[in-house]
Amino acid sequence: MRDALYEKLGYTLSEQKHFYGPGVHLVGSPYLLSLLARLSAKETQQPEVNTLVRTLYTELVTMAVNHEFPRKSVTVPTRMIEHTPKGLYQGEVLDPQVRAVSVNIARAGTLPSQVTYDLLNTILEPRLVRQDHLIMSRELDQAAQVVGSNIGGAKIGGDVDDAFLLFPDPMGATGSSLSTAIKLYKTKVPGKVRRIILLNLIVTPEYLKRLVTDHPEVVIFAARLDRGLSPDEVFHTAPGELWEKERGLDEHQYIVPGAGGMGEVMNNAYV
């Protein structure tokens, strides 16, 4: 007799209520927020920085995979099959026959993308998993304001047809770089993606507005929302309730309270 317990696995994200739309998931758990607070702290340095980033992204990617990736029913003989015909696991698992591409947006995204790529290889058929690489930089105007992003180089290993396309990028500040990267895949890379998933440690209201406007189909998983430069009235409202008044970027487009420039912090390269 098949046990119905695992026929349809339930999975519910623990997320904060907001008004940014159904594609945005603010999934900051006490555990994630504790690690992120340590990562953001002024005194935290290497090697603890990268250790925290690895742990945070392992948790964040696991949440995204549980929530978004398809499943299949299996019957797997366990080691107990030698002793009893009932030594079988029968139930759902993640479907391993799924294509997935993790995109490394250097330099802050390099380690998160490697963590994502390695994790996907443990649950999917490895030949269906790929990692791509983009070199990007902010484009500034004369007032040092971000007006766009440039792609300085790319190593894209094939098409993205029916693939989950994941962008693990720690800081969701203006959204300019990720919007440009997504547009590149939509217009220059063959194939129709199955789903576009953004994986961020910290996001701003400005970032969410840019991505939801430019690419409304994307799914965003974020550990923390920072809107520290908003008017006082905003801090007593649910995220997105006063979206037009929310502000998380300073005059140099850095996140407040934020964590500083993570590309610089993670690489000990402050240029």
Side-chain angles (χ1 to χ4, degrees):
M1 179 65 69
R2 187 183 185 94
D3 193 335
L5 180 60
Y6 299 108
E7 283 188 354
K8 294 292 181 183
L9 295 178
Y11 181 78
T12 303
L13 283 174
S14 176
E15 55 184 313
Q16 298 184 57
K17 178 183 177 182
H18 62 78
F19 295 92
Y20 297 129
V24 176
H25 302 288
L26 303 179
V27 298
S29 66
Y31 177 64
L32 283 180
L33 292 174
S34 298
L35 295 183
L36 190 49
R38 285 173 56 190
L39 177 63
S40 305
K42 181 179 179 181
E43 64 272 15
T44 303
Q45 299 178 358
Q46 295 290 11
E48 186 179 10
V49 166
N50 283 2
T51 298
L52 289 167
V53 169
R54 288 188 188 94
T55 304
L56 282 159
Y57 265 95
T58 298
E59 294 292 321
L60 195 60
V61 175
T62 299
M63 290 179 181
V65 166
N66 281 333
H67 195 267
E68 298 293 327
F69 279 45
R71 304 166 189 167
K72 65 177 294 185
S73 294
V74 297
T75 298
V76 178
T78 76
R79 293 181 181 87
M80 291 303 295
I81 197 67
E82 296 179 3
H83 306 281
T84 171
K86 294 187 176 182
L88 300 169
Y89 168 73
Q90 295 176 308
E92 281 193 334
V93 297
L94 291 165
D95 187 350
Q97 300 300 316
V98 171
R99 296 191 70 196
V101 179
S102 180
V103 183
N104 161 29
I105 299 181
R107 57 191 169 171
T110 299
L111 178 58
S113 182
Q114 187 66 46
V115 171
T116 302
Y117 173 70
D118 289 341
L119 189 151
L120 292 173
N121 271 306
T122 67
I123 57 171
L124 305 179
E125 175 61 45
R127 64 183 176 81
L128 300 176
V129 181
R130 188 178 85 229
Q131 183 172 208
D132 289 347
H133 304 270
L134 299 180
I135 304 296
M136 303 189 70
S137 61
R138 289 177 167 187
E139 182 180 350
L140 306 178
D141 62 15
Q142 292 182 344
Q145 298 294 305
V146 177
V147 295
S149 296
N150 292 317
I151 298 177
K155 190 69 173 180
I156 296 175
D159 68 79
V160 291
D161 195 46
D162 200 33
F164 285 85
L165 187 61
L166 298 94
F167 292 88
D169 197 35
M171 300 292 104
T174 68
S176 175
S177 295
L178 271 180
S179 183
T180 299
I182 294 169
K183 183 178 179 181
L184 171 71
Y185 276 88
K186 284 182 174 181
T187 59
K188 302 296 184 181
V189 181
K192 182 179 180 181
V193 299
R194 185 166 182 169
R195 191 156 302 154
I196 300 172
I197 300 175
L198 313 184
L199 301 160
N200 310 114
L201 298 184
I202 301 176
V203 297
T204 66
E206 295 95 324
Y207 169 88
L208 295 176
K209 176 69 75 174
R210 176 69 182 268
L211 270 302
V212 169
T213 300
D214 290 359
H215 308 285
E217 77 280 15
V218 301
V219 180
I220 301 172
F221 289 83
R224 197 173 88 194
L225 169 76
D226 281 11
R227 49 180 184 170
L229 294 176
S230 303
D232 289 347
E233 62 184 296
V234 165
F235 300 129
H236 300 287
T237 64
E241 191 172 351
L242 298 176
W243 200 346
E244 296 303 324
K245 294 184 178 181
E246 293 180 345
R247 183 181 168 206
L249 296 174
D250 68 8
E251 64 273 16
H252 302 294
Q253 279 73 52
Y254 277 89
I255 302 173
V256 177
M262 286 303 298
E264 298 151 331
V265 172
M266 293 168 66
N267 292 280
N268 273 339
Y270 294 88
V271 293

